[in-house]
Amino acid sequence: MAKWRLYSVACVAAFSAMTAQSIAQEMTAEDILALLQAQREALAETSTINLGTSRTLEFVTESTPETDAGISVGTEVAGDAQAVAAGDGAAALPEELVLDLTIFFEFDSALLKPESREQVQALCSAIQTAGGEGKYQIIGHTDAAGSVEYNLSLSTARAREVVRYMIDSCGIPADRLEAVGMGEARLKDPSNPDGDVNRRVEIQVLL
């Protein structure tokens, strides 16, 4: 447990000067790798230690995800807490270990903008450096503009596009990635529901 806490302290120190509006920003492969390693350490502790309820995003294991062209896809599940039906399941993470990336898409589209490919490449490099057989969820989030149904569909399509790029351009095995759409269910800044900060892609380790 001490090891992941050291990662946690390092992450908090690195991001302490950021405002809530700037947390989701371009990160280096080294930054991403540090957070992924910290997530894995923290999640490993959940086999024996309860991390608490610092986040409302939880994962359930009883549902079988749909697939699209070999891409595993999670779906939102109704309940008291926001949940995602995930093939392998994951536990709640402390907020300081949440990995949000700003990845730009064409307007009202799931098409990646060219300037975002470098950020996805950094994510790929981090995962490749980490090695092993670990799995990852790529979770799409939107702002609250538009209908709930539309935002859920758009966030899922964008998560799938990131996963597809990681498979086709980076060579990450498809069975190590799962695309999840959360729509507007977990706004980064609930006080500004239409704000840019809410439109992001989150990455979470699966055990």
Side-chain angles (χ1 to χ4, degrees):
M1 182 170 62
K3 188 175 180 181
W4 85 258
R5 282 180 175 169
L6 288 175
Y7 279 124
S8 175
V9 170
C11 293
V12 172
F15 299 127
S16 60
M18 298 180 185
T19 66
Q21 303 297 322
S22 63
I23 290 176
Q25 65 171 2
E26 186 168 333
M27 299 175 68
T28 66
E30 291 76 15
D31 293 335
I32 295 170
L33 178 61
L35 270 175
L36 292 178
Q37 290 174 330
Q39 284 188 9
R40 192 172 300 283
E41 293 288 339
L43 291 173
E45 295 292 335
T46 64
S47 60
T48 55
I49 297 173
N50 182 2
L51 285 178
T53 56
S54 55
R55 296 184 66 207
T56 58
L57 183 62
E58 299 175 347
F59 298 93
V60 295
T61 57
E62 59 269 19
S63 299
T64 301
E66 301 172 354
T67 58
D68 177 40
I71 297 173
S72 183
V73 181
T75 53
E76 190 178 0
V77 179
D80 293 336
Q82 296 298 337
V84 172
D88 293 289
L93 282 174
E95 186 64 31
E96 63 266 22
L97 298 188
V98 176
L99 175 51
D100 285 334
L101 300 179
T102 297
I103 297 177
F104 297 103
F105 300 87
E106 297 295 341
F107 176 73
D108 205 28
S109 167
L111 184 64
L112 273 174
K113 284 192 172 184
E115 59 264 36
S116 288
R117 292 172 186 165
E118 184 175 347
Q119 182 69 113
V120 181
Q121 288 284 354
L123 173 59
C124 292
S125 296
I127 290 175
Q128 289 165 337
T129 301
E133 300 299 324
K135 297 184 178 182
Y136 302 87
Q137 279 190 332
I138 310 302
I139 308 169
H141 299 272
T142 68
D143 59 26
S147 70
V148 171
E149 293 79 9
Y150 178 80
N151 287 336
L152 183 59
S153 176
L154 181 61
S155 65
T156 301
R158 287 177 169 177
R160 288 177 178 174
E161 178 60 20
V162 172
V163 167
R164 185 173 288 107
Y165 184 93
M166 294 173 72
I167 294 169
D168 294 344
S169 297
C170 303
I172 305 292
D175 61 1
R176 298 188 64 191
L177 302 171
E178 180 180 33
V180 174
M182 287 296 294
E184 60 187 80
R186 283 208 316 111
L187 297 174
K188 192 76 175 180
D189 184 7
S191 66
N192 183 20
D194 293 344
D196 292 350
V197 70
N198 298 306
R199 299 192 291 272
R200 66 202 192 278
V201 175
E202 179 184 352
I203 295 83
Q204 180 166 341
V205 167
L206 291 175
L207 294 181

